[in-house]
Amino acid sequence: MERALILSGGGARGSFQVGVMRYLTEIGWKPDLICGTSIGAINAAAYGSGLSIDDLARLWKTYHRKMIFQRNWPIFFTSLKSRKRFSPMADTTRMRKLLADHIHIESLRKSEIEIIITAIHMPTSQVRFFNQQTIEIDHLMAAAAIPGLFPWQFIENEPYWDAGIMVNTPIAPALKRGAKEIIVVLLSPVGALPQFLPKTPMQVAELVFEQFLIGSYTSLLPDTSWQVNPHAGFYTTPLPGSPQLQLSAPGVRIATVCPTRMLGFRSLLNFSPRQANTLLQEGYDAARMQLKPFLT
């Protein structure tokens, strides 16, 4: 295996990934493997099922929040007060229909690109990986089941939810398979670009959350040299001799692409054409600038 693309979780920020993928397609960089968590899992499976970049971009610009999930605020708050039975914030019935209508599982089975998605097995808190020979709509719903916000899902009568809380950037399968060239798409600038000290309680909370998003990647690549250089575009990544990274072949190259600005809490569930358009372009521009030294 030569090339792998890693798509992190980040809710409605996922259109940024499609912008990155558009740039990679234009320059002829094709992955042998795509690993995704949460919205990254959805984008990975959609692409693996045969949807083009234009198809993906069109879907992102067409489906707004009310066409994806319905808020259940009264039921949610009632469940919190009752302390007896939890009910999630949203009903994702419409999301299931959207995925079933646009992701063709039989086509996904035949994908030349290996697709791996993640979900957490709730009884054991173990991260499980599923490839395209296993993935069904239930797996995709589980991969995107944000804890507390969306309902957990059952796969073969076992409950699963979004793995973003444990492995938001699922690079391990690419390292285990010996990928020589890995591009990681983060949906936060935190960790990859220097940030200003927070000044307000909201900024403190936002920074904590963004650090949470990149925690699994930072712990796997503890050497801070993987950060994006805001001027030159990219720092090469000398791999530290950690046990996890010894699984990879010598000479592997890893590049990180990320937004160049803080996107804010609201962006996580802001499934609007306006945000999709903005992040599609920002993803394309970030890939063009940050990957230039890596791909030339």
Side-chain angles (χ1 to χ4, degrees):
M1 177 174 293
E2 292 297 322
R3 294 172 169 175
L5 178 64
I6 313 300
L7 303 179
S8 299
R13 299 176 183 179
S15 53
F16 180 90
Q17 295 171 346
V18 180
V20 174
M21 294 165 72
R22 182 185 294 281
Y23 175 74
L24 294 176
T25 299
E26 286 185 4
I27 64 172
W29 194 93
K30 183 177 180 179
D32 303 298
L33 166 69
I34 304 178
C35 303
T37 288
S38 195
I39 195 61
I42 302 297
N43 280 333
Y47 187 72
S49 73
L51 293 184
S52 68
I53 298 300
D54 286 341
D55 292 332
L56 281 170
R58 190 177 305 111
L59 289 175
W60 272 101
K61 292 186 287 187
T62 300
Y63 284 86
H64 54 78
R65 194 270 303 169
K66 291 182 180 179
M67 301 169 72
I68 299 172
F69 65 88
Q70 294 175 286
R71 293 171 177 163
N72 287 331
W73 291 117
I75 297 175
F76 175 69
F77 286 119
T78 298
S79 76
L80 293 181
K81 292 179 181 178
S82 71
R83 300 183 181 180
K84 293 181 179 180
R85 183 176 180 179
F86 177 75
S87 294
M89 185 198 77
D91 180 339
T92 54
T93 302
R94 294 175 180 177
M95 181 190 298
R96 177 177 288 274
K97 184 177 186 306
L98 187 158
L99 296 178
D101 286 346
H102 294 285
I103 297 181
H104 307 289
I105 297 299
E106 291 308 312
S107 297
L108 180 60
R109 297 271 186 271
K110 301 174 184 177
S111 174
E112 295 180 355
I113 302 172
E114 184 176 11
I115 305 297
I116 295 179
I117 68 171
T118 63
I120 292 177
H121 182 243
M122 295 173 65
T124 61
S125 295
Q126 296 297 306
V127 176
R128 300 282 173 83
F129 297 90
F130 305 94
N131 71 8
Q132 74 266 32
Q133 300 306 319
T134 303
I135 296 169
E136 302 283 354
I137 297 301
D138 286 342
H139 295 75
L140 297 175
M141 290 293 294
I146 303 172
L149 301 183
F150 297 164
W152 55 73
Q153 304 291 317
F154 287 86
I155 299 172
E156 297 180 352
N157 298 317
E158 294 287 330
Y160 288 81
W161 63 15
D162 191 329
I165 57 176
M166 293 181 69
V167 58
N168 198 50
T169 303
I171 192 174
L175 295 172
K176 289 182 179 180
R177 281 162 169 72
K180 301 295 191 300
E181 198 169 85
I182 303 174
I183 293 177
V184 177
V185 185
L186 303 178
L187 295 179
S188 171
V190 171
L193 292 169
Q195 301 298 313
F196 294 106
L197 286 177
K199 296 180 179 179
T200 67
M202 180 59 72
Q203 289 175 347
V204 170
E206 184 180 3
L207 181 58
V208 169
F209 179 77
E210 301 293 336
Q211 289 175 340
F212 166 78
L213 284 183
I214 59 98
S216 62
Y217 187 47
T218 299
S219 63
L220 192 60
L221 296 177
D223 190 321
T224 56
S225 62
W226 63 265
Q227 292 180 344
V228 172
N229 182 336
H231 304 293
F234 173 74
Y235 274 125
T236 55
T237 308
L239 296 180
S242 66
Q244 300 99 319
L245 295 179
Q246 289 173 0
L247 296 170
S248 63
V252 62
R253 302 170 68 220
I254 302 176
T256 301
V257 183
C258 70
T260 58
R261 62 185 177 92
M262 292 287 273
L263 299 177
F265 282 127
R266 292 184 179 180
S267 66
L268 292 166
L269 295 177
N270 181 13
F271 291 93
S272 68
R274 181 177 180 178
Q275 174 169 288
N277 270 311
T278 298
L279 293 184
L280 281 164
Q281 187 61 51
E282 289 188 15
Y284 181 91
D285 292 340
R288 180 172 55 84
M289 295 301 296
Q290 295 170 19
L291 293 177
K292 189 174 181 180
F294 180 76
L295 298 175
T296 56

